[in-house]
Amino acid sequence: MTANEDQEMELEALRSIYEGDECFKELSPVSFQFRIGDLDDSKSFLLEVSWPENYPETAPHISLDAFFNNRISLETKQYILSKMSEQVETNLGTAMMYTLFEWAKENQETLMENYQPVTSAVTLISSSDVMNNSTSASKKKEKKEQLTKAQKRKLIGRTDNKGELPRGWDWVDVIKHVSSLCA
């Protein structure tokens, strides 16, 4: 059999085995995604596998670059890929997609044993940002002063068309202030 005939046979087998399985997705006749674990499982991951021209004599390309895997650390991804490569080497020359997918499902706990969720990309925060956030949080907790209708009317009467108070509205009359200090 030629490599193309092997690929077609394996493709048909994969389609029949995983028909209706939400974990399996055929991106193209030579490219697939397979989710290991449930969607709500934090230790689930998505394998992307594509066949080179001479597959299965040549190893398939396995990737964990899907956005679904963005919370998995680089070290964990490298560990999964190394273990998957070992399985590829064992099965080289034979149709191996089903074997790889099922092996990954059976060994999910082992593959993700060192899993530490990555919360986000590296974010640099200065100490002043932290201080600003803590002071703004305390400001939000302060209760706003409630104004009566009369106070609101008086305030509106003093504002300009933009709702801003005129310059100097709260200035102290210097002469009255100084005279009150001397008396």
Side-chain angles (χ1 to χ4, degrees):
M1 271 194 211
T2 65
N4 279 348
E5 290 171 344
D6 285 343
Q7 287 179 10
E8 287 177 26
M9 285 180 58
E10 185 170 5
L11 180 58
E12 289 303 316
L14 288 172
R15 286 174 177 163
S16 65
I17 291 169
Y18 293 114
E19 183 178 353
D21 188 337
E22 63 181 27
C23 292
F24 178 78
K25 184 175 182 182
E26 181 181 335
L27 302 175
S28 76
V30 295
S31 183
F32 313 94
Q33 285 183 338
F34 195 82
R35 188 181 72 242
I36 308 299
D38 296 325
L39 277 174
D40 57 351
D41 182 1
S42 65
K43 291 188 175 185
S44 62
F45 57 95
L46 190 67
L47 287 174
E48 288 186 331
V49 182
S50 56
W51 294 340
E53 194 173 316
N54 294 329
Y55 172 82
E57 303 305 321
T58 308
H61 175 71
I62 301 174
S63 168
L64 292 169
D65 293 339
F67 181 76
F68 186 83
N69 299 327
N70 69 343
R71 71 200 181 302
I72 301 172
S73 69
L74 184 60
E75 295 80 23
T76 303
K77 287 180 183 179
Q78 289 171 339
Y79 178 72
I80 293 169
L81 290 173
S82 70
K83 291 298 182 186
M84 294 301 293
S85 294
E86 289 174 14
Q87 292 304 309
V88 167
E89 292 301 317
T90 306
N91 294 292
L92 207 56
T94 63
M96 67 179 89
M97 290 294 92
Y98 176 78
T99 308
L100 291 177
F101 295 154
E102 294 304 309
W103 182 87
K105 278 178 18 182
E106 291 169 15
N107 294 283
Q108 177 186 4
E109 283 300 314
T110 308
L111 293 172
M112 295 295 281
E113 67 187 350
N114 294 323
Y115 170 70
Q116 294 293 325
V118 176
T119 52
S120 67
V122 176
T123 308
L124 300 176
I125 301 175
S126 69
S127 58
S128 62
D129 290 342
V130 173
M131 292 302 291
N132 288 342
N133 286 342
S134 63
T135 55
S136 66
S138 65
K139 285 179 187 174
K140 288 178 188 173
K141 291 178 185 173
E142 293 174 15
K143 194 170 182 178
K144 273 186 151 181
E145 181 184 344
Q146 295 294 321
L147 300 175
T148 64
K149 283 185 180 180
Q151 289 172 321
K152 289 178 186 175
R153 274 191 225 107
K154 188 175 179 184
L155 188 63
I156 289 171
R158 283 195 258 157
T159 59
D160 60 6
N161 62 351
K162 296 178 191 169
E164 296 176 3
L165 293 168
R167 183 172 179 260
W169 71 271
D170 61 346
W171 291 356
V172 176
D173 185 351
V174 176
I175 307 233
K176 283 184 187 174
H177 181 70
V178 171
S179 64
S180 71
L181 291 175
C182 294

